[in-house]
Protein backbone atom coordinates (compact mmCIF):
# COMPACT_ATOMS: atom_id res chain seq x y z
CA UNK A 1 0.00 0.00 0.00
CA UNK A 2 2.98 2.35 0.48
CA UNK A 3 4.00 2.16 -3.19
CA UNK A 4 0.89 3.95 -4.45
CA UNK A 5 1.33 7.27 -2.56
CA UNK A 6 5.06 7.21 -3.26
CA UNK A 7 4.52 6.76 -6.99
CA UNK A 8 1.92 9.52 -7.03
CA UNK A 9 4.24 11.88 -5.14
CA UNK A 10 7.07 11.16 -7.57
CA UNK A 11 4.78 11.88 -10.53
CA UNK A 12 3.56 15.14 -9.01
CA UNK A 13 7.14 16.20 -8.23
CA UNK A 14 8.17 15.39 -11.81
CA UNK A 15 5.23 17.36 -13.24
CA UNK A 16 5.90 20.35 -10.98
CA UNK A 17 9.58 20.60 -11.77
CA UNK A 18 9.05 19.89 -15.47
CA UNK A 19 6.35 22.56 -15.79
CA UNK A 20 8.49 25.33 -14.28
CA UNK A 21 10.93 25.60 -17.22
CA UNK A 22 8.14 24.91 -19.69
CA UNK A 23 6.10 27.91 -18.50
CA UNK A 24 9.20 30.08 -18.26
CA UNK A 25 10.08 29.39 -21.88
CA UNK A 26 6.53 28.64 -23.00
CA UNK A 27 6.55 30.99 -26.02
CA UNK A 28 10.01 29.92 -27.10
CA UNK A 29 9.22 26.22 -26.91
CA UNK A 30 5.84 26.61 -28.63
CA UNK A 31 7.50 28.59 -31.45
CA UNK A 32 10.17 25.88 -31.87
CA UNK A 33 7.54 23.17 -32.09
CA UNK A 34 4.92 25.05 -34.17
CA UNK A 35 6.85 27.82 -36.04
CA UNK A 36 4.23 28.26 -38.76
CA UNK A 37 1.10 27.86 -36.63
CA UNK A 38 -0.42 31.11 -35.44
CA UNK A 39 -2.20 29.31 -32.66
CA UNK A 40 1.05 27.74 -31.51
CA UNK A 41 0.38 28.53 -27.86
CA UNK A 42 -2.95 26.69 -27.90
CA UNK A 43 -1.49 23.73 -29.78
CA UNK A 44 1.43 23.53 -27.36
CA UNK A 45 -0.95 23.66 -24.41
CA UNK A 46 -2.96 20.79 -25.94
CA UNK A 47 0.27 18.86 -26.33
CA UNK A 48 1.15 19.40 -22.68
CA UNK A 49 -2.31 18.29 -21.60
CA UNK A 50 -2.03 15.15 -23.72
CA UNK A 51 1.46 14.31 -22.43
CA UNK A 52 0.61 14.77 -18.77
CA UNK A 53 -2.77 13.16 -19.29
CA UNK A 54 -0.96 10.14 -20.73
CA UNK A 55 1.26 10.08 -17.64
CA UNK A 56 -1.80 9.97 -15.37
CA UNK A 57 -3.38 7.26 -17.56
CA UNK A 58 -0.23 5.16 -17.19
CA UNK A 59 -0.32 5.78 -13.45
CA UNK A 60 -4.00 4.74 -13.37
CA UNK A 61 -3.16 1.52 -15.22
CA UNK A 62 -0.37 0.89 -12.76
CA UNK A 63 -2.75 1.41 -9.83
CA UNK A 64 -5.31 -0.88 -11.45
CA UNK A 65 -2.66 -3.55 -11.98
CA UNK A 66 -1.53 -3.22 -8.36
CA UNK A 67 -5.09 -3.54 -7.12
CA UNK A 68 -5.63 -6.61 -9.30
CA UNK A 69 -2.42 -8.17 -8.03
CA UNK A 70 -3.36 -7.38 -4.43
CA UNK A 71 -6.81 -8.87 -4.99
CA UNK A 72 -5.30 -12.04 -6.48
CA UNK A 73 -2.90 -12.31 -3.55
CA UNK A 74 -5.84 -11.88 -1.17
CA UNK A 75 -7.80 -14.60 -2.96
CA UNK A 76 -4.78 -16.92 -2.95
CA UNK A 77 -4.25 -16.23 0.74
CA UNK A 78 -7.91 -17.01 1.47
CA UNK A 79 -7.64 -20.19 -0.61
CA UNK A 80 -4.59 -21.25 1.41
CA UNK A 81 -6.41 -20.47 4.64
CA UNK A 82 -9.45 -22.46 3.51
CA UNK A 83 -7.20 -25.34 2.44
CA UNK A 84 -5.43 -25.25 5.80
CA UNK A 85 -8.74 -25.14 7.65
CA UNK A 86 -10.06 -28.03 5.55
CA UNK A 87 -6.92 -30.04 6.26
CA UNK A 88 -7.17 -29.26 9.97
CA UNK A 89 -10.82 -30.31 9.99
CA UNK A 90 -9.90 -33.50 8.15
CA UNK A 91 -7.10 -34.22 10.61
CA UNK A 92 -9.44 -33.52 13.52
CA UNK A 93 -12.01 -35.91 12.10
CA UNK A 94 -9.34 -38.55 11.51
CA UNK A 95 -8.10 -38.12 15.07
CA UNK A 96 -11.66 -38.35 16.42
CA UNK A 97 -12.34 -41.51 14.41
CA UNK A 98 -9.13 -43.16 15.58
CA UNK A 99 -9.90 -42.21 19.18
CA UNK A 100 -13.40 -43.67 18.85
CA UNK A 101 -11.98 -46.83 17.32
CA UNK A 102 -9.31 -47.13 20.03
CA UNK A 103 -11.86 -46.66 22.83
CA UNK A 104 -14.25 -49.17 21.26
CA UNK A 105 -11.51 -51.81 21.00
CA UNK A 106 -10.51 -51.17 24.60
CA UNK A 107 -14.13 -51.73 25.66
CA UNK A 108 -13.96 -55.26 24.26
CA UNK A 109 -11.42 -56.08 26.95
CA UNK A 110 -13.68 -54.97 29.78
CA UNK A 111 -15.01 -57.39 32.38
CA UNK A 112 -18.43 -55.71 32.27
CA UNK A 113 -20.91 -56.96 29.70
CA UNK A 114 -22.62 -53.56 29.04
CA UNK A 115 -19.23 -51.96 28.34
CA UNK A 116 -18.34 -54.74 25.91
CA UNK A 117 -21.71 -54.43 24.16
CA UNK A 118 -21.10 -50.69 23.85
CA UNK A 119 -17.71 -51.35 22.25
CA UNK A 120 -19.26 -53.85 19.83
CA UNK A 121 -21.97 -51.36 18.83
CA UNK A 122 -19.41 -48.56 18.33
CA UNK A 123 -17.17 -50.75 16.15
CA UNK A 124 -20.18 -51.78 14.08
CA UNK A 125 -21.16 -48.12 13.62
CA UNK A 126 -17.64 -47.20 12.49
CA UNK A 127 -17.60 -50.07 10.00
CA UNK A 128 -21.01 -48.98 8.67
CA UNK A 129 -20.25 -45.26 8.43
CA UNK A 130 -16.67 -45.64 7.18
CA UNK A 131 -16.52 -48.99 5.39
CA UNK A 132 -13.38 -48.25 3.36
CA UNK A 133 -11.45 -47.49 6.52
CA UNK A 134 -12.89 -49.85 9.12
CA UNK A 135 -15.05 -52.66 7.67
CA UNK A 136 -12.30 -55.23 7.09
CA UNK A 137 -10.48 -54.30 10.27
CA UNK A 138 -13.63 -54.53 12.39
CA UNK A 139 -14.59 -57.84 10.75
CA UNK A 140 -11.19 -59.25 11.73
CA UNK A 141 -11.55 -57.88 15.27
CA UNK A 142 -15.01 -59.42 15.67
CA UNK A 143 -13.74 -62.74 14.35
CA UNK A 144 -10.81 -62.61 16.73
CA UNK A 145 -13.14 -61.70 19.61
CA UNK A 146 -15.30 -64.77 18.93
CA UNK A 147 -12.26 -67.03 18.68
CA UNK A 148 -10.98 -65.65 21.98
CA UNK A 149 -14.25 -65.73 23.90
CA UNK A 150 -15.68 -68.95 22.42
CA UNK A 151 -12.64 -71.11 21.84
CA UNK A 152 -13.18 -74.81 21.28
CA UNK A 153 -11.30 -75.59 24.47
CA UNK A 154 -13.74 -73.54 26.60
CA UNK A 155 -16.76 -75.16 28.16
CA UNK A 156 -20.17 -73.97 27.05
CA UNK A 157 -21.02 -72.79 30.56
CA UNK A 158 -18.11 -70.35 30.57
CA UNK A 159 -18.98 -68.72 27.26
CA UNK A 160 -20.98 -65.50 27.30
CA UNK A 161 -23.48 -66.43 24.61
CA UNK A 162 -25.10 -63.00 24.68
CA UNK A 163 -21.87 -61.41 23.47
CA UNK A 164 -21.12 -64.12 20.94
CA UNK A 165 -24.66 -64.02 19.54
CA UNK A 166 -24.52 -60.22 19.30
CA UNK A 167 -21.28 -60.25 17.31
CA UNK A 168 -22.41 -63.07 15.00
CA UNK A 169 -25.72 -61.30 14.31
CA UNK A 170 -23.81 -58.16 13.37
CA UNK A 171 -21.48 -60.11 11.08
CA UNK A 172 -24.53 -61.67 9.41
CA UNK A 173 -26.76 -58.61 9.11
CA UNK A 174 -24.27 -55.83 8.30
CA UNK A 175 -23.85 -55.82 4.51
CA UNK A 176 -20.37 -54.29 4.87
CA UNK A 177 -19.15 -57.67 6.11
CA UNK A 178 -20.95 -59.82 3.53
CA UNK A 179 -18.03 -60.14 1.10
CA UNK A 180 -15.37 -60.45 3.81
CA UNK A 181 -14.15 -63.71 5.29
CA UNK A 182 -15.28 -64.37 8.84
CA UNK A 183 -12.55 -66.56 10.29
CA UNK A 184 -14.02 -68.53 13.21
CA UNK A 185 -11.62 -71.48 13.14
CA UNK A 186 -11.50 -73.49 16.33
CA UNK A 187 -14.62 -72.00 17.94
CA UNK A 188 -17.36 -73.52 20.04
CA UNK A 189 -20.53 -72.33 18.29
CA UNK A 190 -22.90 -74.86 19.81
CA UNK A 191 -24.92 -72.23 21.66
CA UNK A 192 -25.73 -70.12 18.58
CA UNK A 193 -29.30 -70.52 17.27
CA UNK A 194 -29.56 -69.80 13.55
CA UNK A 195 -32.58 -69.97 11.27
CA UNK A 196 -33.69 -68.78 7.85
CA UNK A 197 -30.30 -67.31 6.90
CA UNK A 198 -27.73 -67.35 4.13
CA UNK A 199 -24.13 -67.40 5.35
CA UNK A 200 -21.39 -66.33 2.94
CA UNK A 201 -17.62 -66.50 3.34
CA UNK A 202 -17.42 -68.09 6.78
CA UNK A 203 -14.59 -70.33 7.92
CA UNK A 204 -15.92 -72.90 10.40
CA UNK A 205 -12.88 -75.17 10.26
CA UNK A 206 -12.23 -77.18 13.45
CA UNK A 207 -15.39 -75.77 15.05
CA UNK A 208 -18.07 -77.36 17.20
CA UNK A 209 -21.03 -76.41 15.07
CA UNK A 210 -24.42 -74.99 15.87
CA UNK A 211 -26.90 -76.80 18.05
CA UNK A 212 -29.94 -75.12 16.50
CA UNK A 213 -30.10 -74.85 12.69
CA UNK A 214 -33.18 -74.25 10.59
CA UNK A 215 -33.26 -73.37 6.87
CA UNK A 216 -29.62 -72.25 6.64
CA UNK A 217 -27.84 -71.82 3.30
CA UNK A 218 -24.04 -71.86 3.31
CA UNK A 219 -22.07 -70.28 0.45
CA UNK A 220 -18.29 -70.33 0.17
CA UNK A 221 -17.96 -71.67 3.72
CA UNK A 222 -15.31 -74.04 5.05
CA UNK A 223 -16.05 -76.88 7.49
CA UNK A 224 -12.65 -78.59 7.50
CA UNK A 225 -12.29 -80.88 10.55
CA UNK A 226 -15.39 -79.38 12.14
CA UNK A 227 -17.75 -81.46 14.24
CA UNK A 228 -21.45 -81.30 14.81
CA UNK A 229 -22.82 -80.57 18.25
CA UNK A 230 -23.75 -83.69 20.16
CA UNK A 231 -25.66 -84.04 23.41
CA UNK A 232 -23.00 -86.54 24.38
CA UNK A 233 -20.29 -83.92 24.06
CA UNK A 234 -18.60 -83.51 27.46
CA UNK A 235 -18.21 -79.87 28.52
Amino acid sequence: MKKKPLALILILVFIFFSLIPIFIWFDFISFQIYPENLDRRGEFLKLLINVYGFIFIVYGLYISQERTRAFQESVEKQDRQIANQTENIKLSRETLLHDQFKNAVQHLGSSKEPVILGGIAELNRLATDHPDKFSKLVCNIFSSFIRSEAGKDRSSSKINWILINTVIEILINNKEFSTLEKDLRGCNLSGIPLNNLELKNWNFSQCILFKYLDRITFKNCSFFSSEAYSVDYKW
Side-chain angles (χ1 to χ4, degrees):
M1 297 298 294
K2 293 182 178 180
K3 293 182 178 180
K4 298 177 184 178
L6 179 61
L8 180 60
I9 290 172
L10 291 176
I11 290 175
L12 292 176
V13 170
F14 167 76
I15 292 175
F16 177 76
F17 284 102
S18 64
L19 284 177
I20 291 176
I22 289 175
F23 280 105
I24 293 176
W25 293 292
F26 188 85
D27 290 337
F28 175 77
I29 296 173
S30 62
F31 180 78
Q32 296 297 320
I33 297 176
Y34 305 102
E36 298 180 357
N37 193 329
L38 298 178
D39 191 24
R40 62 178 66 92
R41 292 171 62 89
E43 292 296 326
F44 183 47
L45 183 60
K46 292 179 182 179
L47 177 62
L48 291 178
I49 293 174
N50 290 333
V51 169
Y52 290 109
F54 176 76
I55 293 175
F56 279 106
I57 290 174
V58 171
Y59 174 73
L61 293 175
Y62 166 75
I63 294 299
S64 177
Q65 183 180 12
E66 286 294 301
R67 288 177 177 173
T68 301
R69 184 177 62 82
F71 176 75
Q72 291 176 343
E73 290 178 352
S74 176
V75 171
E76 291 174 357
K77 183 178 179 180
Q78 290 178 355
D79 289 341
R80 289 193 297 269
Q81 290 176 344
I82 293 173
N84 291 335
Q85 291 175 354
T86 303
E87 184 64 23
N88 290 335
I89 292 173
K90 182 179 178 180
L91 290 175
S92 297
R93 288 177 177 173
E94 290 289 331
T95 301
L96 179 60
L97 285 177
H98 284 294
D99 288 342
Q100 290 174 341
F101 175 77
K102 179 181 177 182
N103 292 334
V105 172
Q106 289 176 344
H107 289 163
L108 296 185
S110 175
S111 60
K112 300 179 180 179
E113 182 179 294
V115 176
I116 298 175
L117 289 173
I120 292 172
E122 182 64 16
L123 287 174
N124 184 46
R125 187 185 68 79
L126 288 172
T128 303
D129 294 344
H130 309 279
D132 294 339
K133 185 182 295 293
F134 291 111
S135 61
K136 186 174 182 179
L137 182 58
V138 171
C139 182
N140 291 336
I141 290 174
F142 282 163
S143 299
S144 177
F145 178 80
I146 295 173
R147 293 196 304 269
S148 175
E149 297 297 320
K152 188 176 180 180
D153 56 343
R154 299 189 67 177
S155 66
S156 181
S157 61
K158 294 183 179 180
I159 296 175
N160 189 328
W161 293 110
I162 294 177
L163 297 178
I164 302 304
N165 270 287
T166 299
V167 176
I168 289 182
E169 286 179 3
I170 288 174
L171 290 173
I172 292 173
N173 296 323
N174 192 332
K175 64 179 182 179
E176 302 300 339
F177 303 131
S178 61
T179 60
L180 302 174
E181 182 185 14
K182 279 69 71 174
D183 185 2
L184 303 187
R185 289 175 294 177
C187 290
N188 179 357
L189 303 176
S190 61
I192 306 297
L194 296 177
N195 61 83
N196 196 27
L197 292 172
E198 181 180 87
L199 300 183
K200 295 181 181 179
N201 305 312
W202 292 71
N203 189 345
F204 298 116
S205 299
Q206 302 174 0
C207 286
I208 301 174
L209 296 178
F210 314 95
K211 180 179 180 180
Y212 306 103
L213 290 177
D214 182 21
R215 291 169 294 176
I216 303 299
T217 302
F218 297 96
K219 291 186 178 181
N220 194 28
C221 295
S222 174
F223 298 92
F224 177 75
S225 294
S226 61
E227 54 187 292
Y229 170 80
S230 170
V231 293
D232 297 328
Y233 189 86
K234 303 299 182 182
W235 301 109

